[in-house]
Amino acid sequence: MKTMDEKTVNWLVETAKKARERAYAPYSNFPVGAAVLTGSGKIYSGCNIEAASSGATCCAERTAIYKAVSEGDTDIKAVCCIADTETPVAPCGICRQVIREWGADIQVIMANLKGDTEVVKITDLLPLAFTSDDM
Ligand code: THU
């Protein structure tokens, strides 16, 4: 996917925004929503799911990616994340690594509730990544 058309970006952002409403974030009070687009044209949504033992928390992006992968839909083209932030929210380091697992050309759409968006390639967010090629 060379560039993301506006309609697809909006679809991902709106899906992620709805998923954010299902976030389980009683500890951080920082709900996040995500959406994953695959080559089959399907979108998988996700939200952050926290746990009293904080290391067990799953970010919204990983929830959505794991939903797609567990359905056998591994051709990930784009990942969108949204939160109520001043500037478009950026995926955490662990999520960057998990996104990179599924391709170097994946587009990451960062968004906030104000309607700001920024689209970057995963390799721009995680340059010089450790991948299966290094093993
Ligand atoms: N979080 C996400 O879901 N995605 C991100 O990209 C940043 C952080 C979640 C994890 C935790 O539930 C809360 O936001 C605060 O860190």
Side-chain angles (χ1 to χ4, degrees):
M1 192 179 300
K2 287 215 165 54
T3 50
M4 296 279 304
D5 62 282
E6 206 184 310
K7 220 176 118 192
T8 307
V9 170
N10 287 341
W11 185 28
L12 283 161
V13 170
E14 286 310 310
T15 303
K17 199 190 279 187
K18 278 194 206 116
R20 180 181 168 274
E21 288 165 20
R22 297 189 288 273
Y24 177 72
Y27 305 104
S28 70
N29 290 311
F30 187 71
V32 184
V36 162
L37 173 70
T38 65
S40 67
K42 272 196 191 169
I43 284 195
Y44 298 82
S45 65
C47 59
N48 52 333
I49 304 169
E50 298 183 345
S53 174
S54 56
T57 291
C58 192
C59 288
E61 299 90 322
R62 276 177 288 142
T63 302
I65 290 168
Y66 295 157
K67 280 171 70 178
V69 172
S70 62
E71 292 299 316
D73 214 351
T74 58
D75 182 19
I76 294 173
K77 300 290 188 196
V79 178
C80 173
C81 52
I82 189 164
D84 189 10
T85 43
E86 194 49 40
T87 54
V89 69
C92 79
I94 295 173
C95 289
R96 291 177 196 206
Q97 184 72 42
V98 171
I99 294 167
R100 179 62 185 82
E101 181 69 26
W102 300 101
D105 292 326
I106 296 172
Q107 301 284 329
V108 179
I109 297 112
M110 302 176 285
N112 64 13
L113 294 185
K114 294 191 292 178
D116 304 318
T117 55
E118 202 178 327
V119 185
V120 291
K121 248 175 76 167
I122 185 58
T123 44
D124 294 325
L125 287 180
L126 190 67
L128 300 172
F130 174 73
T131 69
S132 56
D133 295 342
D134 298 307
M135 296 173 75

